[in-house]
């Protein structure tokens, strides 16, 4: 296959669609399977009479697996190659997915959660690294906007599949495993075009968390707000006397905002020499939107409008943060930083639900909005403090 042409700095000059389609299609297949699997596994455990605390503990294995897999991914890709490591992860994820059906003892679900989410973390890290490497600098925001939009569609299709397949029998597990295995096809076809990691990162893994803090702090805030907000918003809405159907529609509207804003935000970021003001601006809107929730919650239509834009800003932290990361680093450094990026996201998904839930216990229902605003405010503080610190890369 012909290799993409590069400029004098080693950056690709045009969008090389085969590579981008391969990486995006692969991770989107995994996104569909995750969107199917998360509600499926929770419902089955509920039917088996497993206490909610243990169900939550089992689900928390996802974040733990991601945090442990992230530092290892770059090393595996350096030793085995990016495409080969991704294909290996696809097989592990598919076998783990079908394994849940045959694992009748609850304790067996803990190692299965660990292998499944560890493998999917590897796929996310290497897919995003591949996409960032294959994207021309002047089109990086657009490319990552397309990636985020397709991925969001994949996550939305998962619950739809669950509603069609139900939770009985092997069929939903089999469908999930087959969808994951389909990711092998685009990776195999474009395997010779995957980026080559011929050098090891010069720095320790955790150094990359602080090397580009504007990106890693953005994805931490996104992980905390998305995981905590989505999991606890239904409880918040019900306590504010909204109906379950109204809460579900509001979450759907927020998801639509997520999908609608990725490409426009990517295009805007491509026109900016420095993406940090855009990231800070979205976080400020996040603070304002969070603090407005208690005042808007009883006006359903206005709440839906605000959540549409708020959902776009929240998810924009991920997309634009990833583009900012790609604009600062390349090669082995970018791969390691991508792993640190996903690590920070995983930390956010663990910290968010715990912190927001605790805030609601301490401060009542208003604690939900205050905790969300605090995570956004944390990022605003990071973004505003950057001009006072001048490391080599920021």
């Amino acid at each position: 296959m012909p290799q993409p042409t590069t400029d004098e700095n080693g950056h690709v000059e045009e969008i090389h669609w085969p590579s981008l389609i391969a990486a995006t299609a692969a991770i989107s297949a995994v996104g569909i399977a995750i969107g199917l699997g998360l509600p499926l596994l929770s419902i089955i455990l509920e039917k088996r009479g497993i206490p909610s605390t243990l169900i939550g503990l089992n689900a928390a294995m996802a974040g733990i697996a991601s945090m442990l897999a992230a530092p290892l991914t770059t090393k595996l890709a350096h030793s085995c190659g990016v495409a080969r490591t991704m294909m290996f992860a696809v097989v592990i994820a598919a076998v783990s997915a079908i394994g849940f059906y045959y694992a009748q003892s609850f304790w067996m679900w803990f190692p299965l959660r660990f292998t499944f989410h560890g493998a999917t973390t590897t796929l996310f890290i290497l897919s995003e690294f591949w996409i960032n490497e294959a994207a021309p600098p002047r089109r990086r925001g657009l490319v990552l906007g397309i990636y985020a939009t397709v991925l969001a569609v994949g996550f939305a299709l998962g619950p739809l599949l669950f509603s069609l397949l139900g939770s009985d029998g092997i069929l939903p597990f089999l469908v999930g495993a087959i969808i994951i295995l389909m990711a092998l096809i685009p990776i195999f076809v474009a395997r010779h075009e995957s980026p080559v990691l011929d050098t090891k990162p010069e720095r320790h893994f955790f150094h990359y968390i602080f090397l580009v803090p504007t990106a890693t702090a953005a994805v931490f805030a996104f992980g905390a707000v998305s995981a905590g907000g989505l999991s606890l918003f239904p409880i918040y809405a019900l306590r504010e006397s909204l109906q379950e159907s109204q809460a579900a529609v509001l979450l759907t509207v927020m998801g639509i905002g997520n999908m609608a804003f990725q490409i426009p935000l990517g295009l805007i970021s491509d026109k900016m020499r420095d993406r940090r003001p855009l990231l800070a601006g979205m976080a400020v809107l996040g603070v304002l939107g969070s603090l407005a929730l208690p005042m808007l919650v009883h006006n359903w239509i206005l709440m839906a409008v605000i959540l549409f834009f708020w959902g776009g800003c929240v998810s924009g932290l991920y997309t634009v943060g990833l583009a900012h990361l790609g604009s600062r680093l390349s090669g082995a450094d970018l791969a390691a930083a991508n792993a640190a990026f996903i690590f920070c996201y995983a930390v956010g998904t663990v910290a968010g639900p715990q912190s927001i839930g605790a805030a609601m216990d301490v401060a009542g229902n208003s604690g939900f909005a205050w905790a969300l605003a605090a995570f956004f405010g944390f990022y605003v503080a990071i973004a505003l403090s950057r001009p006072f610190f001048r490391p080599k890369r920021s």
Side-chain angles (χ1 to χ4, degrees), residues 161 202 306 326 335:
L161 268 178
E202 298 179 357
I306 295 298

Side-chain angles (χ1 to χ4, degrees), residues 5 22 28-29 37 47 56 93 249 284 296-297 353 389:
T5 57
S28 297
K47 286 182 177 179
V249 172
V284 169
L296 301 174
V297 69
F389 301 94

Side-chain angles (χ1 to χ4, degrees), residues 12-341:
V12 292
E13 295 179 313
E14 299 293 337
I15 297 177
H16 194 61
W17 291 107
S19 289
L20 299 175
I21 290 172
T24 302
I27 202 60
S28 297
V30 175
I32 295 172
I34 293 175
L36 165 64
L38 291 180
L40 172 65
L41 298 181
S42 296
I43 290 294
I44 289 175
L45 290 178
E46 176 70 20
K47 286 182 177 179
R48 291 184 183 180
I50 303 296
S52 298
T53 302
L54 290 179
I55 294 176
L57 181 62
N58 185 249
M61 288 299 294
I64 296 171
S66 296
M67 285 187 279
L68 293 176
L72 299 175
T73 295
T74 308
K75 295 179 180 178
L76 287 171
H78 179 268
S79 301
C80 305
V82 171
R84 186 177 298 176
T85 302
M86 290 177 68
M87 289 189 284
F88 185 57
V90 166
V91 173
I92 292 177
V95 171
S96 299
I98 200 71
F100 284 107
Y101 174 75
Y102 292 102
Q104 296 302 311
S105 298
F106 176 58
W107 69 265
M108 298 175 67
W109 282 42
F110 285 88
L112 285 171
R113 284 269 196 183
F114 187 85
T115 55
F116 179 80
H117 288 284
T120 54
T121 296
T122 296
L123 286 167
F124 273 105
I125 291 170
L126 295 182
S127 292
E128 290 175 357
F129 165 58
W130 192 345
I131 291 169
N132 243 329
E133 279 285 277
R138 287 182 288 184
R139 308 293 294 279
R140 181 172 279 113
L142 169 63
V143 168
L144 290 171
I146 294 172
Y147 160 76
T149 302
V150 175
L151 183 59
V153 171
F155 276 116
L157 288 176
L160 177 61
L161 268 178
F162 173 67
S163 68
L164 297 174
L165 298 173
S167 60
D168 297 326
I170 194 175
L171 182 60
F173 296 94
L174 188 61
V175 169
I178 290 173
I179 290 173
I180 294 171
L181 286 173
M182 287 175 63
L184 285 173
I185 298 173
I187 299 172
F188 181 80
V189 169
R191 65 192 184 282
H192 297 303
E193 300 185 17
S194 65
V196 177
L197 289 175
D198 51 5
T199 60
K200 293 184 178 180
E202 298 179 357
R203 304 171 177 87
H204 189 274
F205 170 79
F206 289 103
H207 181 81
Y208 288 93
I209 295 175
F210 304 100
L211 187 63
V212 193
T214 313
T216 52
V219 78
F220 167 79
F222 167 77
V225 170
S226 60
L230 289 175
S231 60
L232 293 170
F233 179 79
I235 297 173
Y236 172 79
L238 291 176
R239 289 181 181 178
E240 292 289 347
S241 301
L242 271 68
Q243 299 176 3
E244 286 187 14
S245 58
Q246 291 178 312
V249 172
L250 287 173
L251 285 176
T252 302
V253 168
M254 192 159 55
I256 293 172
N258 176 359
M259 289 184 281
F261 274 72
Q262 298 316 300
I263 292 177
L265 285 173
L267 288 170
I268 292 171
S269 75
D270 282 337
K271 297 182 182 299
M272 305 178 72
R273 294 186 61 184
D274 188 346
R275 293 179 170 89
R276 286 174 292 185
L278 178 59
L279 286 165
M282 288 188 292
V284 169
L285 290 176
V287 172
L288 296 176
S290 300
L291 294 177
L293 286 179
M295 295 178 284
L296 301 174
V297 69
H298 298 296
N299 186 328
W300 190 88
I301 295 177
L302 187 57
M303 182 85 157
V305 173
I306 295 298
L307 285 178
F308 174 79
F309 290 97
W310 190 78
C313 287
V314 170
S315 55
L317 287 174
Y318 189 98
T319 305
V320 180
L322 191 59
H324 177 67
L325 192 75
S327 69
R328 298 298 186 202
L329 301 167
S330 61
D333 281 334
L334 178 57
N338 243 126
F341 189 80

